[in-house]
Amino acid sequence: MSSEIMQAPKVYRHLLKAIRNHIGKEEYKTHFREYVTQEFRKNCKLSDPSSKQQKIKLAHDYAFLLNNVHHHKELLFSYNIAVDRSEEMKRILGKSAASVGLQLPDVYQP
C-alpha cells in the first residue's frame, strides 16, 4: 500500500513532463494536462486498490508511449538523408548553446 502511495505522484509527474515535452505547452493544448490532472484527482478517491493500481499502470504506460513515439520519430528523421535537416540542426545547435548559457544569433535571410 505504501509503495502505491509513493508511486502515484512519481507517475503523475512523469506523465505531466511527457505531455509538456511532446504534446506542448501552448494555450490550445492545455486540455491534455487538465484531463490528466482531473483523472488523477478523481482516481485518488477510489477505494479499490486493484483498480487504482491499474489506473496508475495505465498512466505510466501512456507516458512511456509518448516518450518512445517521440524518440522513434526522431530516429526516423535522422535516418532519412533525403530530408532537409537544416532546421533540425539549428534546433540541436540551439539546445547545445543553451545548455552552456549561450544563445545563437538570428541568421539574416533576405
Side-chain angles (χ1 to χ4, degrees), residues 14 35 41 55 62 68 70 89 104 110:
H14 191 234
Y35 177 75
R41 287 184 180 155
K55 301 271 185 177
Y62 185 67
N68 285 325
H70 181 73
M89 292 308 292
L104 291 177

Side-chain angles (χ1 to χ4, degrees), residues 34-49:
E34 291 168 0
Y35 177 75
V36 168
T37 303
Q38 181 184 27
E39 285 297 309
F40 263 86
R41 287 184 180 155
K42 182 173 70 174
N43 292 325
C44 74
K45 299 173 187 169
L46 289 176
S47 60
D48 184 19

Side-chain angles (χ1 to χ4, degrees), residues 83-105:
V83 175
D84 181 27
R85 296 184 51 200
S86 60
E87 288 299 318
E88 181 184 355
M89 292 308 292
K90 286 180 191 176
R91 184 179 56 85
I92 291 171
L93 288 173
K95 280 185 176 180
S96 298
S99 70
V100 293
L102 301 174
Q103 185 177 9
L104 291 177

